[in-house]
PDB file of all heavy atoms in Angstrom:
ATOM      1  N   LEU A   1      55.306 -24.757 -17.798  1.00 88.00           N
ATOM      2  CA  LEU A   1      54.608 -24.630 -16.559  1.00 88.00           C
ATOM      3  C   LEU A   1      53.086 -24.724 -16.822  1.00 88.00           C
ATOM      4  O   LEU A   1      52.445 -25.214 -15.839  1.00 88.00           O
ATOM      5  CB  LEU A   1      54.952 -23.361 -15.955  1.00 88.00           C
ATOM      6  CG  LEU A   1      56.332 -23.153 -15.167  1.00 88.00           C
ATOM      7  CD1 LEU A   1      56.476 -21.819 -14.582  1.00 88.00           C
ATOM      8  CD2 LEU A   1      56.314 -24.247 -14.086  1.00 88.00           C
ATOM      9  N   GLN A   2      52.560 -24.149 -17.863  1.00 85.00           N
ATOM     10  CA  GLN A   2      51.105 -24.342 -18.092  1.00 85.00           C
ATOM     11  C   GLN A   2      50.807 -25.902 -18.219  1.00 85.00           C
ATOM     12  O   GLN A   2      49.711 -26.272 -17.855  1.00 85.00           O
ATOM     13  CB  GLN A   2      50.761 -23.551 -19.364  1.00 85.00           C
ATOM     14  CG  GLN A   2      49.286 -23.460 -19.475  1.00 85.00           C
ATOM     15  CD  GLN A   2      48.833 -22.776 -20.750  1.00 85.00           C
ATOM     16  OE1 GLN A   2      49.419 -23.124 -21.712  1.00 85.00           O
ATOM     17  NE2 GLN A   2      47.852 -21.961 -20.640  1.00 85.00           N
ATOM     18  N   LEU A   3      51.624 -26.676 -18.958  1.00 87.00           N
ATOM     19  CA  LEU A   3      51.380 -28.058 -18.964  1.00 87.00           C
ATOM     20  C   LEU A   3      51.289 -28.641 -17.605  1.00 87.00           C
ATOM     21  O   LEU A   3      50.357 -29.589 -17.262  1.00 87.00           O
ATOM     22  CB  LEU A   3      52.457 -28.841 -19.729  1.00 87.00           C
ATOM     23  CG  LEU A   3      52.513 -28.428 -21.194  1.00 87.00           C
ATOM     24  CD1 LEU A   3      53.649 -29.255 -21.890  1.00 87.00           C
ATOM     25  CD2 LEU A   3      51.225 -28.822 -21.947  1.00 87.00           C
ATOM     26  N   ALA A   4      52.110 -28.235 -16.654  1.00 87.00           N
ATOM     27  CA  ALA A   4      52.139 -28.757 -15.237  1.00 87.00           C
ATOM     28  C   ALA A   4      50.850 -28.309 -14.594  1.00 87.00           C
ATOM     29  O   ALA A   4      50.245 -29.061 -13.818  1.00 87.00           O
ATOM     30  CB  ALA A   4      53.359 -28.210 -14.559  1.00 87.00           C
ATOM     31  N   ALA A   5      50.403 -27.113 -14.871  1.00 84.00           N
ATOM     32  CA  ALA A   5      49.265 -26.459 -14.201  1.00 84.00           C
ATOM     33  C   ALA A   5      48.014 -27.193 -14.619  1.00 84.00           C
ATOM     34  O   ALA A   5      47.079 -27.596 -13.940  1.00 84.00           O
ATOM     35  CB  ALA A   5      49.147 -25.018 -14.520  1.00 84.00           C
ATOM     36  N   ILE A   6      47.869 -27.584 -15.941  1.00 84.00           N
ATOM     37  CA  ILE A   6      46.781 -28.395 -16.476  1.00 84.00           C
ATOM     38  C   ILE A   6      46.777 -29.795 -15.851  1.00 84.00           C
ATOM     39  O   ILE A   6      45.808 -30.237 -15.452  1.00 84.00           O
ATOM     40  CB  ILE A   6      46.962 -28.493 -18.004  1.00 84.00           C
ATOM     41  CG1 ILE A   6      46.680 -27.091 -18.590  1.00 84.00           C
ATOM     42  CG2 ILE A   6      45.814 -29.440 -18.494  1.00 84.00           C
ATOM     43  CD1 ILE A   6      46.901 -27.012 -20.075  1.00 84.00           C
ATOM     44  N   ASP A   7      47.952 -30.406 -15.716  1.00 86.00           N
ATOM     45  CA  ASP A   7      47.950 -31.757 -15.022  1.00 86.00           C
ATOM     46  C   ASP A   7      47.635 -31.641 -13.667  1.00 86.00           C
ATOM     47  O   ASP A   7      46.948 -32.500 -13.067  1.00 86.00           O
ATOM     48  CB  ASP A   7      49.410 -32.330 -15.144  1.00 86.00           C
ATOM     49  CG  ASP A   7      49.650 -32.955 -16.608  1.00 86.00           C
ATOM     50  OD1 ASP A   7      48.639 -33.099 -17.196  1.00 86.00           O
ATOM     51  OD2 ASP A   7      50.789 -33.268 -16.862  1.00 86.00           O
ATOM     52  N   ALA A   8      47.916 -30.558 -12.911  1.00 84.00           N
ATOM     53  CA  ALA A   8      47.601 -30.314 -11.633  1.00 84.00           C
ATOM     54  C   ALA A   8      46.059 -30.116 -11.415  1.00 84.00           C
ATOM     55  O   ALA A   8      45.511 -30.698 -10.427  1.00 84.00           O
ATOM     56  CB  ALA A   8      48.348 -29.108 -10.952  1.00 84.00           C
ATOM     57  N   GLN A   9      45.472 -29.447 -12.265  1.00 80.00           N
ATOM     58  CA  GLN A   9      43.968 -29.292 -12.278  1.00 80.00           C
ATOM     59  C   GLN A   9      43.258 -30.616 -12.514  1.00 80.00           C
ATOM     60  O   GLN A   9      42.236 -30.815 -11.924  1.00 80.00           O
ATOM     61  CB  GLN A   9      43.555 -28.225 -13.413  1.00 80.00           C
ATOM     62  CG  GLN A   9      42.099 -27.933 -13.351  1.00 80.00           C
ATOM     63  CD  GLN A   9      41.666 -27.095 -14.560  1.00 80.00           C
ATOM     64  OE1 GLN A   9      42.533 -26.675 -15.318  1.00 80.00           O
ATOM     65  NE2 GLN A   9      40.423 -26.779 -14.649  1.00 80.00           N
ATOM     66  N   ARG A  10      43.839 -31.437 -13.424  1.00 83.00           N
ATOM     67  CA  ARG A  10      43.284 -32.723 -13.624  1.00 83.00           C
ATOM     68  C   ARG A  10      43.444 -33.728 -12.486  1.00 83.00           C
ATOM     69  O   ARG A  10      42.862 -34.748 -12.455  1.00 83.00           O
ATOM     70  CB  ARG A  10      43.788 -33.314 -14.882  1.00 83.00           C
ATOM     71  CG  ARG A  10      43.501 -32.563 -16.186  1.00 83.00           C
ATOM     72  CD  ARG A  10      44.194 -33.070 -17.320  1.00 83.00           C
ATOM     73  NE  ARG A  10      43.856 -32.360 -18.583  1.00 83.00           N
ATOM     74  CZ  ARG A  10      44.435 -32.575 -19.762  1.00 83.00           C
ATOM     75  NH1 ARG A  10      45.522 -33.397 -19.783  1.00 83.00           N
ATOM     76  NH2 ARG A  10      44.160 -31.781 -20.752  1.00 83.00           N
ATOM     77  N   GLY A  11      44.334 -33.396 -11.493  1.00 83.00           N
ATOM     78  CA  GLY A  11      44.648 -34.394 -10.435  1.00 83.00           C
ATOM     79  C   GLY A  11      45.685 -35.315 -10.747  1.00 83.00           C
ATOM     80  O   GLY A  11      45.901 -36.273 -10.090  1.00 83.00           O
ATOM     81  N   ASN A  12      46.467 -35.027 -11.904  1.00 85.00           N
ATOM     82  CA  ASN A  12      47.511 -35.992 -12.244  1.00 85.00           C
ATOM     83  C   ASN A  12      48.806 -35.784 -11.381  1.00 85.00           C
ATOM     84  O   ASN A  12      49.756 -36.647 -11.466  1.00 85.00           O
ATOM     85  CB  ASN A  12      47.824 -35.933 -13.671  1.00 85.00           C
ATOM     86  CG  ASN A  12      46.799 -36.201 -14.515  1.00 85.00           C
ATOM     87  OD1 ASN A  12      45.859 -37.059 -14.143  1.00 85.00           O
ATOM     88  ND2 ASN A  12      46.599 -35.622 -15.723  1.00 85.00           N
ATOM     89  N   LEU A  13      48.943 -34.682 -10.687  1.00 85.00           N
ATOM     90  CA  LEU A  13      50.121 -34.353  -9.889  1.00 85.00           C
ATOM     91  C   LEU A  13      49.714 -34.237  -8.443  1.00 85.00           C
ATOM     92  O   LEU A  13      48.801 -33.627  -8.060  1.00 85.00           O
ATOM     93  CB  LEU A  13      50.786 -32.995 -10.422  1.00 85.00           C
ATOM     94  CG  LEU A  13      51.322 -32.988 -11.808  1.00 85.00           C
ATOM     95  CD1 LEU A  13      51.833 -31.591 -12.170  1.00 85.00           C
ATOM     96  CD2 LEU A  13      52.343 -34.107 -11.964  1.00 85.00           C
ATOM     97  N   ARG A  14      50.621 -34.878  -7.737  1.00 86.00           N
ATOM     98  CA  ARG A  14      50.379 -34.938  -6.115  1.00 86.00           C
ATOM     99  C   ARG A  14      50.879 -33.549  -5.624  1.00 86.00           C
ATOM    100  O   ARG A  14      51.733 -32.910  -6.247  1.00 86.00           O
ATOM    101  CB  ARG A  14      51.130 -36.120  -5.456  1.00 86.00           C
ATOM    102  CG  ARG A  14      50.711 -37.391  -6.005  1.00 86.00           C
ATOM    103  CD  ARG A  14      51.303 -38.517  -5.151  1.00 86.00           C
ATOM    104  NE  ARG A  14      52.667 -38.388  -5.041  1.00 86.00           N
ATOM    105  CZ  ARG A  14      53.599 -38.970  -5.993  1.00 86.00           C
ATOM    106  NH1 ARG A  14      53.134 -39.641  -7.019  1.00 86.00           N
ATOM    107  NH2 ARG A  14      54.786 -38.749  -5.934  1.00 86.00           N
ATOM    108  N   PRO A  15      50.456 -33.196  -4.376  1.00 85.00           N
ATOM    109  CA  PRO A  15      51.009 -31.875  -3.776  1.00 85.00           C
ATOM    110  C   PRO A  15      52.546 -32.009  -3.647  1.00 85.00           C
ATOM    111  O   PRO A  15      53.210 -30.917  -3.975  1.00 85.00           O
ATOM    112  CB  PRO A  15      50.278 -31.898  -2.523  1.00 85.00           C
ATOM    113  CG  PRO A  15      49.042 -32.681  -2.684  1.00 85.00           C
ATOM    114  CD  PRO A  15      49.378 -33.743  -3.634  1.00 85.00           C
ATOM    115  N   ASP A  16      53.119 -33.048  -3.324  1.00 86.00           N
ATOM    116  CA  ASP A  16      54.490 -33.126  -3.188  1.00 86.00           C
ATOM    117  C   ASP A  16      55.170 -32.916  -4.486  1.00 86.00           C
ATOM    118  O   ASP A  16      56.319 -32.336  -4.589  1.00 86.00           O
ATOM    119  CB  ASP A  16      54.964 -34.388  -2.440  1.00 86.00           C
ATOM    120  CG  ASP A  16      54.573 -35.526  -3.276  1.00 86.00           C
ATOM    121  OD1 ASP A  16      53.491 -35.664  -3.765  1.00 86.00           O
ATOM    122  OD2 ASP A  16      55.476 -36.480  -3.443  1.00 86.00           O
ATOM    123  N   GLN A  17      54.630 -33.364  -5.632  1.00 86.00           N
ATOM    124  CA  GLN A  17      55.215 -33.284  -6.846  1.00 86.00           C
ATOM    125  C   GLN A  17      55.229 -31.796  -7.283  1.00 86.00           C
ATOM    126  O   GLN A  17      56.150 -31.176  -7.960  1.00 86.00           O
ATOM    127  CB  GLN A  17      54.495 -34.079  -7.994  1.00 86.00           C
ATOM    128  CG  GLN A  17      54.825 -35.610  -7.831  1.00 86.00           C
ATOM    129  CD  GLN A  17      53.968 -36.371  -8.821  1.00 86.00           C
ATOM    130  OE1 GLN A  17      52.714 -36.309  -8.987  1.00 86.00           O
ATOM    131  NE2 GLN A  17      54.794 -37.228  -9.641  1.00 86.00           N
ATOM    132  N   LEU A  18      54.047 -31.189  -7.037  1.00 86.00           N
ATOM    133  CA  LEU A  18      53.950 -29.764  -7.350  1.00 86.00           C
ATOM    134  C   LEU A  18      55.006 -28.889  -6.646  1.00 86.00           C
ATOM    135  O   LEU A  18      55.604 -27.919  -7.104  1.00 86.00           O
ATOM    136  CB  LEU A  18      52.601 -29.185  -7.086  1.00 86.00           C
ATOM    137  CG  LEU A  18      51.365 -29.641  -8.032  1.00 86.00           C
ATOM    138  CD1 LEU A  18      50.052 -29.219  -7.348  1.00 86.00           C
ATOM    139  CD2 LEU A  18      51.573 -29.242  -9.383  1.00 86.00           C
ATOM    140  N   PHE A  19      55.215 -29.216  -5.351  1.00 86.00           N
ATOM    141  CA  PHE A  19      56.145 -28.541  -4.554  1.00 86.00           C
ATOM    142  C   PHE A  19      57.472 -28.754  -5.137  1.00 86.00           C
ATOM    143  O   PHE A  19      58.429 -27.901  -5.214  1.00 86.00           O
ATOM    144  CB  PHE A  19      56.094 -28.952  -3.084  1.00 86.00           C
ATOM    145  CG  PHE A  19      57.240 -28.347  -2.200  1.00 86.00           C
ATOM    146  CD1 PHE A  19      57.041 -27.003  -1.697  1.00 86.00           C
ATOM    147  CD2 PHE A  19      58.340 -29.068  -1.816  1.00 86.00           C
ATOM    148  CE1 PHE A  19      57.996 -26.458  -0.946  1.00 86.00           C
ATOM    149  CE2 PHE A  19      59.284 -28.540  -1.151  1.00 86.00           C
ATOM    150  CZ  PHE A  19      59.159 -27.190  -0.635  1.00 86.00           C
ATOM    151  N   HIS A  20      57.907 -30.013  -5.537  1.00 87.00           N
ATOM    152  CA  HIS A  20      59.065 -30.409  -6.209  1.00 87.00           C
ATOM    153  C   HIS A  20      59.351 -29.538  -7.380  1.00 87.00           C
ATOM    154  O   HIS A  20      60.469 -29.125  -7.722  1.00 87.00           O
ATOM    155  CB  HIS A  20      59.255 -31.850  -6.384  1.00 87.00           C
ATOM    156  CG  HIS A  20      60.482 -32.398  -6.557  1.00 87.00           C
ATOM    157  ND1 HIS A  20      61.577 -32.128  -5.721  1.00 87.00           N
ATOM    158  CD2 HIS A  20      61.125 -33.144  -7.545  1.00 87.00           C
ATOM    159  CE1 HIS A  20      62.697 -32.613  -6.220  1.00 87.00           C
ATOM    160  NE2 HIS A  20      62.486 -33.442  -7.215  1.00 87.00           N
ATOM    161  N   ILE A  21      58.276 -29.422  -8.302  1.00 87.00           N
ATOM    162  CA  ILE A  21      58.453 -28.782  -9.603  1.00 87.00           C
ATOM    163  C   ILE A  21      58.657 -27.392  -9.308  1.00 87.00           C
ATOM    164  O   ILE A  21      59.549 -26.731 -10.017  1.00 87.00           O
ATOM    165  CB  ILE A  21      57.056 -28.880 -10.475  1.00 87.00           C
ATOM    166  CG1 ILE A  21      57.021 -30.413 -10.893  1.00 87.00           C
ATOM    167  CG2 ILE A  21      57.040 -28.019 -11.577  1.00 87.00           C
ATOM    168  CD1 ILE A  21      55.713 -30.670 -11.517  1.00 87.00           C
ATOM    169  N   GLN A  22      57.864 -26.736  -8.325  1.00 86.00           N
ATOM    170  CA  GLN A  22      58.222 -25.281  -8.115  1.00 86.00           C
ATOM    171  C   GLN A  22      59.555 -25.103  -7.492  1.00 86.00           C
ATOM    172  O   GLN A  22      60.207 -24.081  -7.885  1.00 86.00           O
ATOM    173  CB  GLN A  22      57.242 -24.775  -7.103  1.00 86.00           C
ATOM    174  CG  GLN A  22      57.352 -23.270  -6.720  1.00 86.00           C
ATOM    175  CD  GLN A  22      56.053 -22.772  -5.958  1.00 86.00           C
ATOM    176  OE1 GLN A  22      54.974 -22.945  -6.417  1.00 86.00           O
ATOM    177  NE2 GLN A  22      56.405 -22.054  -4.923  1.00 86.00           N
ATOM    178  N   SER A  23      60.139 -25.902  -6.629  1.00 87.00           N
ATOM    179  CA  SER A  23      61.463 -25.742  -6.154  1.00 87.00           C
ATOM    180  C   SER A  23      62.473 -25.919  -7.346  1.00 87.00           C
ATOM    181  O   SER A  23      63.496 -25.084  -7.332  1.00 87.00           O
ATOM    182  CB  SER A  23      61.714 -26.859  -5.215  1.00 87.00           C
ATOM    183  OG  SER A  23      60.776 -26.787  -4.085  1.00 87.00           O
ATOM    184  N   THR A  24      62.218 -26.779  -8.344  1.00 89.00           N
ATOM    185  CA  THR A  24      63.165 -27.033  -9.450  1.00 89.00           C
ATOM    186  C   THR A  24      63.177 -25.786 -10.263  1.00 89.00           C
ATOM    187  O   THR A  24      64.273 -25.249 -10.775  1.00 89.00           O
ATOM    188  CB  THR A  24      62.749 -28.198 -10.238  1.00 89.00           C
ATOM    189  OG1 THR A  24      62.695 -29.377  -9.502  1.00 89.00           O
ATOM    190  CG2 THR A  24      63.730 -28.360 -11.360  1.00 89.00           C
ATOM    191  N   ILE A  25      62.002 -25.157 -10.413  1.00 88.00           N
ATOM    192  CA  ILE A  25      61.924 -23.949 -11.334  1.00 88.00           C
ATOM    193  C   ILE A  25      62.638 -22.690 -10.641  1.00 88.00           C
ATOM    194  O   ILE A  25      63.462 -21.999 -11.259  1.00 88.00           O
ATOM    195  CB  ILE A  25      60.457 -23.532 -11.568  1.00 88.00           C
ATOM    196  CG1 ILE A  25      59.832 -24.559 -12.423  1.00 88.00           C
ATOM    197  CG2 ILE A  25      60.248 -22.252 -12.243  1.00 88.00           C
ATOM    198  CD1 ILE A  25      60.482 -24.729 -13.788  1.00 88.00           C
ATOM    199  N   ILE A  26      62.385 -22.612  -9.343  1.00 88.00           N
ATOM    200  CA  ILE A  26      63.069 -21.539  -8.573  1.00 88.00           C
ATOM    201  C   ILE A  26      64.659 -21.693  -8.651  1.00 88.00           C
ATOM    202  O   ILE A  26      65.348 -20.756  -8.942  1.00 88.00           O
ATOM    203  CB  ILE A  26      62.641 -21.569  -7.177  1.00 88.00           C
ATOM    204  CG1 ILE A  26      61.019 -21.209  -7.118  1.00 88.00           C
ATOM    205  CG2 ILE A  26      63.408 -20.543  -6.297  1.00 88.00           C
ATOM    206  CD1 ILE A  26      60.727 -19.831  -7.587  1.00 88.00           C
ATOM    207  N   ALA A  27      64.976 -23.027  -8.575  1.00 88.00           N
ATOM    208  CA  ALA A  27      66.572 -23.274  -8.733  1.00 88.00           C
ATOM    209  C   ALA A  27      66.957 -22.910 -10.116  1.00 88.00           C
ATOM    210  O   ALA A  27      68.103 -22.310 -10.198  1.00 88.00           O
ATOM    211  CB  ALA A  27      66.796 -24.672  -8.341  1.00 88.00           C
ATOM    212  N   VAL A  28      66.256 -23.200 -11.160  1.00 89.00           N
ATOM    213  CA  VAL A  28      66.690 -22.909 -12.452  1.00 89.00           C
ATOM    214  C   VAL A  28      66.678 -21.272 -12.661  1.00 89.00           C
ATOM    215  O   VAL A  28      67.719 -20.803 -13.307  1.00 89.00           O
ATOM    216  CB  VAL A  28      65.808 -23.514 -13.574  1.00 89.00           C
ATOM    217  CG1 VAL A  28      66.119 -23.100 -14.910  1.00 89.00           C
ATOM    218  CG2 VAL A  28      65.877 -24.990 -13.435  1.00 89.00           C
ATOM    219  N   VAL A  29      65.707 -20.621 -12.202  1.00 89.00           N
ATOM    220  CA  VAL A  29      65.631 -19.221 -12.318  1.00 89.00           C
ATOM    221  C   VAL A  29      66.969 -18.549 -11.625  1.00 89.00           C
ATOM    222  O   VAL A  29      67.535 -17.683 -12.147  1.00 89.00           O
ATOM    223  CB  VAL A  29      64.392 -18.693 -11.710  1.00 89.00           C
ATOM    224  CG1 VAL A  29      64.437 -17.144 -11.672  1.00 89.00           C
ATOM    225  CG2 VAL A  29      63.164 -19.029 -12.472  1.00 89.00           C
ATOM    226  N   ASP A  30      67.274 -19.097 -10.452  1.00 89.00           N
ATOM    227  CA  ASP A  30      68.482 -18.612  -9.749  1.00 89.00           C
ATOM    228  C   ASP A  30      69.813 -18.972 -10.612  1.00 89.00           C
ATOM    229  O   ASP A  30      70.675 -18.115 -10.620  1.00 89.00           O
ATOM    230  CB  ASP A  30      68.623 -19.252  -8.444  1.00 89.00           C
ATOM    231  CG  ASP A  30      67.449 -18.786  -7.436  1.00 89.00           C
ATOM    232  OD1 ASP A  30      67.001 -17.659  -7.720  1.00 89.00           O
ATOM    233  OD2 ASP A  30      67.232 -19.475  -6.438  1.00 89.00           O
ATOM    234  N   ASP A  31      69.754 -20.105 -11.311  1.00 89.00           N
ATOM    235  CA  ASP A  31      70.969 -20.381 -12.054  1.00 89.00           C
ATOM    236  C   ASP A  31      71.064 -19.484 -13.251  1.00 89.00           C
ATOM    237  O   ASP A  31      72.330 -19.210 -13.703  1.00 89.00           O
ATOM    238  CB  ASP A  31      70.899 -21.788 -12.565  1.00 89.00           C
ATOM    239  CG  ASP A  31      71.141 -22.900 -11.380  1.00 89.00           C
ATOM    240  OD1 ASP A  31      71.652 -22.470 -10.472  1.00 89.00           O
ATOM    241  OD2 ASP A  31      70.731 -24.129 -11.518  1.00 89.00           O
ATOM    242  N   LEU A  32      69.981 -19.056 -13.767  1.00 89.00           N
ATOM    243  CA  LEU A  32      70.008 -18.171 -15.025  1.00 89.00           C
ATOM    244  C   LEU A  32      70.150 -16.681 -14.644  1.00 89.00           C
ATOM    245  O   LEU A  32      69.947 -15.891 -15.516  1.00 89.00           O
ATOM    246  CB  LEU A  32      68.703 -18.365 -15.852  1.00 89.00           C
ATOM    247  CG  LEU A  32      68.540 -19.896 -16.315  1.00 89.00           C
ATOM    248  CD1 LEU A  32      67.226 -19.866 -17.166  1.00 89.00           C
ATOM    249  CD2 LEU A  32      69.671 -20.279 -17.165  1.00 89.00           C
ATOM    250  N   GLU A  33      70.537 -16.324 -13.412  1.00 88.00           N
ATOM    251  CA  GLU A  33      70.600 -14.939 -13.032  1.00 88.00           C
ATOM    252  C   GLU A  33      71.730 -14.303 -13.796  1.00 88.00           C
ATOM    253  O   GLU A  33      71.577 -13.058 -14.101  1.00 88.00           O
ATOM    254  CB  GLU A  33      70.988 -14.909 -11.602  1.00 88.00           C
ATOM    255  CG  GLU A  33      71.069 -13.538 -10.933  1.00 88.00           C
ATOM    256  CD  GLU A  33      69.818 -12.693 -11.069  1.00 88.00           C
ATOM    257  OE1 GLU A  33      68.730 -13.306 -10.978  1.00 88.00           O
ATOM    258  OE2 GLU A  33      69.910 -11.485 -11.259  1.00 88.00           O
ATOM    259  N   GLY A  34      72.732 -15.063 -14.194  1.00 87.00           N
ATOM    260  CA  GLY A  34      73.894 -14.345 -14.931  1.00 87.00           C
ATOM    261  C   GLY A  34      73.659 -14.047 -16.424  1.00 87.00           C
ATOM    262  O   GLY A  34      74.409 -13.376 -17.081  1.00 87.00           O
ATOM    263  N   PHE A  35      72.497 -14.440 -17.053  1.00 87.00           N
ATOM    264  CA  PHE A  35      72.294 -14.269 -18.459  1.00 87.00           C
ATOM    265  C   PHE A  35      71.518 -12.968 -18.646  1.00 87.00           C
ATOM    266  O   PHE A  35      70.444 -12.674 -17.876  1.00 87.00           O
ATOM    267  CB  PHE A  35      71.322 -15.421 -18.904  1.00 87.00           C
ATOM    268  CG  PHE A  35      72.164 -16.735 -19.119  1.00 87.00           C
ATOM    269  CD1 PHE A  35      72.249 -17.534 -18.131  1.00 87.00           C
ATOM    270  CD2 PHE A  35      72.779 -17.034 -20.297  1.00 87.00           C
ATOM    271  CE1 PHE A  35      72.990 -18.773 -18.209  1.00 87.00           C
ATOM    272  CE2 PHE A  35      73.449 -18.245 -20.542  1.00 87.00           C
ATOM    273  CZ  PHE A  35      73.469 -19.044 -19.310  1.00 87.00           C
ATOM    274  N   PRO A  36      71.890 -12.062 -19.496  1.00 85.00           N
ATOM    275  CA  PRO A  36      71.267 -10.803 -19.782  1.00 85.00           C
ATOM    276  C   PRO A  36      69.993 -11.087 -20.678  1.00 85.00           C
ATOM    277  O   PRO A  36      69.860 -11.906 -21.328  1.00 85.00           O
ATOM    278  CB  PRO A  36      72.299 -10.020 -20.630  1.00 85.00           C
ATOM    279  CG  PRO A  36      73.040 -11.054 -21.297  1.00 85.00           C
ATOM    280  CD  PRO A  36      73.236 -12.275 -20.384  1.00 85.00           C
ATOM    281  N   ASP A  37      69.039 -10.116 -20.426  1.00 82.00           N
ATOM    282  CA  ASP A  37      67.777 -10.193 -21.223  1.00 82.00           C
ATOM    283  C   ASP A  37      67.975  -9.372 -22.528  1.00 82.00           C
ATOM    284  O   ASP A  37      67.395  -8.390 -22.741  1.00 82.00           O
ATOM    285  CB  ASP A  37      66.628  -9.753 -20.411  1.00 82.00           C
ATOM    286  CG  ASP A  37      65.326  -9.925 -21.147  1.00 82.00           C
ATOM    287  OD1 ASP A  37      65.219 -10.868 -21.956  1.00 82.00           O
ATOM    288  OD2 ASP A  37      64.366  -9.126 -20.842  1.00 82.00           O
ATOM    289  N   ARG A  38      68.883  -9.925 -23.413  1.00 82.00           N
ATOM    290  CA  ARG A  38      69.117  -9.167 -24.669  1.00 82.00           C
ATOM    291  C   ARG A  38      69.165 -10.254 -25.798  1.00 82.00           C
ATOM    292  O   ARG A  38      69.714 -11.367 -25.607  1.00 82.00           O
ATOM    293  CB  ARG A  38      70.516  -8.382 -24.548  1.00 82.00           C
ATOM    294  CG  ARG A  38      70.506  -7.357 -23.576  1.00 82.00           C
ATOM    295  CD  ARG A  38      69.627  -6.200 -24.022  1.00 82.00           C
ATOM    296  NE  ARG A  38      69.642  -5.150 -23.051  1.00 82.00           N
ATOM    297  CZ  ARG A  38      68.787  -4.129 -22.937  1.00 82.00           C
ATOM    298  NH1 ARG A  38      67.602  -4.083 -23.772  1.00 82.00           N
ATOM    299  NH2 ARG A  38      68.892  -3.224 -22.000  1.00 82.00           N
ATOM    300  N   GLN A  39      68.617  -9.880 -26.831  1.00 77.00           N
ATOM    301  CA  GLN A  39      68.718 -10.686 -28.049  1.00 77.00           C
ATOM    302  C   GLN A  39      70.260 -10.756 -28.463  1.00 77.00           C
ATOM    303  O   GLN A  39      70.903  -9.801 -28.491  1.00 77.00           O
ATOM    304  CB  GLN A  39      67.890 -10.186 -29.098  1.00 77.00           C
ATOM    305  CG  GLN A  39      67.685 -11.227 -30.224  1.00 77.00           C
ATOM    306  CD  GLN A  39      66.613 -12.266 -29.852  1.00 77.00           C
ATOM    307  OE1 GLN A  39      65.961 -12.123 -28.847  1.00 77.00           O
ATOM    308  NE2 GLN A  39      66.453 -13.222 -30.701  1.00 77.00           N
ATOM    309  N   PRO A  40      70.814 -11.992 -28.790  1.00 73.00           N
ATOM    310  CA  PRO A  40      72.185 -12.111 -29.285  1.00 73.00           C
ATOM    311  C   PRO A  40      72.356 -11.261 -30.356  1.00 73.00           C
ATOM    312  O   PRO A  40      71.491 -11.146 -31.232  1.00 73.00           O
ATOM    313  CB  PRO A  40      72.332 -13.572 -29.557  1.00 73.00           C
ATOM    314  CG  PRO A  40      71.290 -14.241 -28.595  1.00 73.00           C
ATOM    315  CD  PRO A  40      70.163 -13.324 -28.538  1.00 73.00           C
TER     316      PRO A  40
END
């Protein structure tokens, strides 16, 4: 995400791309809801 934030600051990402990236991340976070936060 920091790589994406740096590209956004440089103007390499359009607003619609940023919105698409954020939507993708939110979807991934929802998909990982079933994984525990424990070291194997």
